[in-house]
Amino acid sequence: MAQSPNRGRFITLEGIEGAGKSTVARLVSEWLTSRGLTSRVTREPGGTPLAERVRKIVLDRGDEAVSPRAETLLMFAARSIHVENLIRPALARGEWVICDRFTDASRAYQGYGRGMDLAWIEQLAGAVHGDLQPDCTLLLDLPVEVGLERARGRSGVAADRFEAEAAEFFERVRQGYLSIARAEPKRVHIIDAAAALPAVTQQVTKVLEGL
Ligand code: Z5A
């Protein structure tokens, strides 16, 4: 996307389940507000009413199988709606967009986790948002068992198709995320998310100040 001087910044949050993305999204939004910047917190899959309907289709555990290929396509269908109807318009208005997961999640979960061809995922990314990339990605990294324990500590919500996966799956996803971070160190900042919240906040703030 040709960057107009007034365009907002696009920040994405990534990590395995229970890494603290929603918590950090709120923190980033408050930090931006305290500096007089308007921000918009959103998530994937979802973020708009129509994309949230696709989210339900792809996450719900139904009787009918969803192949890794179909899962990947549904993630990008939801992303296409989200990019066109929410992300691009908000950035054009000068708002900062804080997105809980974006295409790195497709690379990590569908690519490294499910074994889908990474080159094919890049083709889909190019078709859906070729000229729009995150300005900054915070990768909340922590051991799988810590993330799963945190996530499962939340009561009252039935496990979705991902939450029902085994620890080995999340380990592949975590290693995938770390490979992405090694390949793009300028964009992807690794945050030690196993640390207590004040220490996480400190790491995140340091990255934001550098933007
Ligand atoms: N998915 C995909 O496969 N491909 C794609 O392209 C996309 C997504 C976009 C839904 O994502 C699923 O979609 C996801 C991958 C797939 N499945 N999985 N796994 P989601 O982001 O909606 O769901 P999630 O990853 O399960 O999010 P989450 O469990 O809500 O985690 P979180 O937002 O990272 O964590 P949190 O809610 O902020 O924190 C979890 C708990 O830990 C909570 O009680 C906090 O108070 C606590 N917490 C947070 N930080 C700390 C620290 N530092 N110390 C102690 N406790 C903490």
PDB file of all heavy atoms in Angstrom, residues 109-122:
ATOM      1  N   TYR A 109      -0.234 -21.856  11.551  1.00  0.00           N
ATOM      2  CA  TYR A 109      -1.203 -22.934  11.845  1.00  0.00           C
ATOM      3  C   TYR A 109      -1.442 -23.843  10.635  1.00  0.00           C
ATOM      4  O   TYR A 109      -1.364 -25.051  10.732  1.00  0.00           O
ATOM      5  CB  TYR A 109      -2.548 -22.344  12.314  1.00  0.00           C
ATOM      6  CG  TYR A 109      -2.540 -21.930  13.761  1.00  0.00           C
ATOM      7  CD1 TYR A 109      -1.975 -20.726  14.171  1.00  0.00           C
ATOM      8  CD2 TYR A 109      -3.080 -22.741  14.743  1.00  0.00           C
ATOM      9  CE1 TYR A 109      -1.961 -20.335  15.492  1.00  0.00           C
ATOM     10  CE2 TYR A 109      -3.073 -22.363  16.084  1.00  0.00           C
ATOM     11  CZ  TYR A 109      -2.516 -21.158  16.441  1.00  0.00           C
ATOM     12  OH  TYR A 109      -2.506 -20.792  17.767  1.00  0.00           O
ATOM     13  N   GLN A 110      -1.793 -23.210   9.473  1.00  0.00           N
ATOM     14  CA  GLN A 110      -2.109 -24.054   8.316  1.00  0.00           C
ATOM     15  C   GLN A 110      -0.819 -24.559   7.648  1.00  0.00           C
ATOM     16  O   GLN A 110      -0.782 -25.689   7.182  1.00  0.00           O
ATOM     17  CB  GLN A 110      -2.981 -23.281   7.304  1.00  0.00           C
ATOM     18  CG  GLN A 110      -4.454 -23.196   7.687  1.00  0.00           C
ATOM     19  CD  GLN A 110      -4.729 -22.357   8.925  1.00  0.00           C
ATOM     20  OE1 GLN A 110      -4.281 -21.222   9.017  1.00  0.00           O
ATOM     21  NE2 GLN A 110      -5.458 -22.912   9.885  1.00  0.00           N
ATOM     22  N   GLY A 111       0.216 -23.708   7.620  1.00  0.00           N
ATOM     23  CA  GLY A 111       1.481 -24.102   6.997  1.00  0.00           C
ATOM     24  C   GLY A 111       2.267 -25.058   7.897  1.00  0.00           C
ATOM     25  O   GLY A 111       2.321 -26.261   7.651  1.00  0.00           O
ATOM     26  N   TYR A 112       2.832 -24.519   8.956  1.00  0.00           N
ATOM     27  CA  TYR A 112       3.687 -25.346   9.828  1.00  0.00           C
ATOM     28  C   TYR A 112       2.871 -26.366  10.637  1.00  0.00           C
ATOM     29  O   TYR A 112       3.320 -27.485  10.864  1.00  0.00           O
ATOM     30  CB  TYR A 112       4.494 -24.448  10.775  1.00  0.00           C
ATOM     31  CG  TYR A 112       5.574 -23.667  10.058  1.00  0.00           C
ATOM     32  CD1 TYR A 112       5.331 -22.387   9.571  1.00  0.00           C
ATOM     33  CD2 TYR A 112       6.842 -24.214   9.871  1.00  0.00           C
ATOM     34  CE1 TYR A 112       6.315 -21.666   8.909  1.00  0.00           C
ATOM     35  CE2 TYR A 112       7.831 -23.506   9.209  1.00  0.00           C
ATOM     36  CZ  TYR A 112       7.561 -22.224   8.736  1.00  0.00           C
ATOM     37  OH  TYR A 112       8.546 -21.527   8.075  1.00  0.00           O
ATOM     38  N   GLY A 113       1.684 -25.983  11.089  1.00  0.00           N
ATOM     39  CA  GLY A 113       0.879 -26.888  11.934  1.00  0.00           C
ATOM     40  C   GLY A 113       0.213 -28.002  11.146  1.00  0.00           C
ATOM     41  O   GLY A 113       0.330 -29.173  11.473  1.00  0.00           O
ATOM     42  N   ARG A 114      -0.474 -27.632  10.058  1.00  0.00           N
ATOM     43  CA  ARG A 114      -1.242 -28.632   9.287  1.00  0.00           C
ATOM     44  C   ARG A 114      -0.478 -29.186   8.089  1.00  0.00           C
ATOM     45  O   ARG A 114      -0.972 -30.076   7.405  1.00  0.00           O
ATOM     46  CB  ARG A 114      -2.537 -28.007   8.741  1.00  0.00           C
ATOM     47  CG  ARG A 114      -3.459 -27.397   9.780  1.00  0.00           C
ATOM     48  CD  ARG A 114      -4.489 -28.382  10.239  1.00  0.00           C
ATOM     49  NE  ARG A 114      -5.585 -27.720  10.899  1.00  0.00           N
ATOM     50  CZ  ARG A 114      -6.022 -28.065  12.129  1.00  0.00           C
ATOM     51  NH1 ARG A 114      -5.428 -29.032  12.790  1.00  0.00           N
ATOM     52  NH2 ARG A 114      -7.040 -27.437  12.662  1.00  0.00           N
ATOM     53  N   GLY A 115       0.652 -28.554   7.758  1.00  0.00           N
ATOM     54  CA  GLY A 115       1.459 -29.069   6.649  1.00  0.00           C
ATOM     55  C   GLY A 115       1.019 -28.582   5.279  1.00  0.00           C
ATOM     56  O   GLY A 115       1.404 -29.165   4.258  1.00  0.00           O
ATOM     57  N   MET A 116       0.228 -27.505   5.201  1.00  0.00           N
ATOM     58  CA  MET A 116      -0.133 -26.965   3.886  1.00  0.00           C
ATOM     59  C   MET A 116       1.088 -26.278   3.267  1.00  0.00           C
ATOM     60  O   MET A 116       1.932 -25.737   3.983  1.00  0.00           O
ATOM     61  CB  MET A 116      -1.294 -25.964   4.004  1.00  0.00           C
ATOM     62  CG  MET A 116      -2.619 -26.561   4.466  1.00  0.00           C
ATOM     63  SD  MET A 116      -3.144 -27.985   3.506  1.00  0.00           S
ATOM     64  CE  MET A 116      -3.469 -27.250   1.929  1.00  0.00           C
ATOM     65  N   ASP A 117       1.123 -26.273   1.929  1.00  0.00           N
ATOM     66  CA  ASP A 117       2.266 -25.727   1.202  1.00  0.00           C
ATOM     67  C   ASP A 117       2.427 -24.225   1.486  1.00  0.00           C
ATOM     68  O   ASP A 117       1.508 -23.439   1.228  1.00  0.00           O
ATOM     69  CB  ASP A 117       2.016 -25.986  -0.299  1.00  0.00           C
ATOM     70  CG  ASP A 117       3.149 -25.481  -1.164  1.00  0.00           C
ATOM     71  OD1 ASP A 117       4.261 -25.314  -0.621  1.00  0.00           O
ATOM     72  OD2 ASP A 117       2.909 -25.246  -2.370  1.00  0.00           O
ATOM     73  N   LEU A 118       3.601 -23.869   1.990  1.00  0.00           N
ATOM     74  CA  LEU A 118       3.826 -22.462   2.370  1.00  0.00           C
ATOM     75  C   LEU A 118       3.807 -21.539   1.150  1.00  0.00           C
ATOM     76  O   LEU A 118       3.369 -20.393   1.235  1.00  0.00           O
ATOM     77  CB  LEU A 118       5.151 -22.327   3.129  1.00  0.00           C
ATOM     78  CG  LEU A 118       5.149 -22.905   4.559  1.00  0.00           C
ATOM     79  CD1 LEU A 118       6.557 -23.043   5.097  1.00  0.00           C
ATOM     80  CD2 LEU A 118       4.294 -22.039   5.497  1.00  0.00           C
ATOM     81  N   ALA A 119       4.271 -22.057  -0.003  1.00  0.00           N
ATOM     82  CA  ALA A 119       4.277 -21.224  -1.216  1.00  0.00           C
ATOM     83  C   ALA A 119       2.835 -20.911  -1.641  1.00  0.00           C
ATOM     84  O   ALA A 119       2.530 -19.806  -2.103  1.00  0.00           O
ATOM     85  CB  ALA A 119       5.023 -21.941  -2.335  1.00  0.00           C
ATOM     86  N   TRP A 120       1.949 -21.887  -1.484  1.00  0.00           N
ATOM     87  CA  TRP A 120       0.530 -21.667  -1.819  1.00  0.00           C
ATOM     88  C   TRP A 120      -0.073 -20.617  -0.881  1.00  0.00           C
ATOM     89  O   TRP A 120      -0.836 -19.741  -1.308  1.00  0.00           O
ATOM     90  CB  TRP A 120      -0.235 -22.992  -1.723  1.00  0.00           C
ATOM     91  CG  TRP A 120      -1.689 -22.878  -2.032  1.00  0.00           C
ATOM     92  CD1 TRP A 120      -2.252 -22.439  -3.196  1.00  0.00           C
ATOM     93  CD2 TRP A 120      -2.780 -23.174  -1.150  1.00  0.00           C
ATOM     94  NE1 TRP A 120      -3.633 -22.454  -3.090  1.00  0.00           N
ATOM     95  CE2 TRP A 120      -3.973 -22.909  -1.844  1.00  0.00           C
ATOM     96  CE3 TRP A 120      -2.868 -23.657   0.158  1.00  0.00           C
ATOM     97  CZ2 TRP A 120      -5.233 -23.102  -1.274  1.00  0.00           C
ATOM     98  CZ3 TRP A 120      -4.124 -23.855   0.713  1.00  0.00           C
ATOM     99  CH2 TRP A 120      -5.291 -23.570   0.005  1.00  0.00           C
ATOM    100  N   ILE A 121       0.292 -20.696   0.401  1.00  0.00           N
ATOM    101  CA  ILE A 121      -0.213 -19.698   1.362  1.00  0.00           C
ATOM    102  C   ILE A 121       0.268 -18.300   0.952  1.00  0.00           C
ATOM    103  O   ILE A 121      -0.494 -17.328   1.013  1.00  0.00           O
ATOM    104  CB  ILE A 121       0.225 -20.073   2.805  1.00  0.00           C
ATOM    105  CG1 ILE A 121      -0.511 -21.348   3.229  1.00  0.00           C
ATOM    106  CG2 ILE A 121      -0.032 -18.925   3.788  1.00  0.00           C
ATOM    107  CD1 ILE A 121      -0.132 -21.908   4.584  1.00  0.00           C
ATOM    108  N   GLU A 122       1.512 -18.194   0.474  1.00  0.00           N
ATOM    109  CA  GLU A 122       2.009 -16.872   0.026  1.00  0.00           C
ATOM    110  C   GLU A 122       1.240 -16.379  -1.188  1.00  0.00           C
ATOM    111  O   GLU A 122       0.998 -15.185  -1.339  1.00  0.00           O
ATOM    112  CB  GLU A 122       3.507 -16.916  -0.269  1.00  0.00           C
ATOM    113  CG  GLU A 122       4.399 -17.111   0.958  1.00  0.00           C
ATOM    114  CD  GLU A 122       4.037 -16.219   2.155  1.00  0.00           C
ATOM    115  OE1 GLU A 122       3.708 -15.038   1.960  1.00  0.00           O
ATOM    116  OE2 GLU A 122       4.046 -16.728   3.284  1.00  0.00           O
TER     117      GLU A 122
END
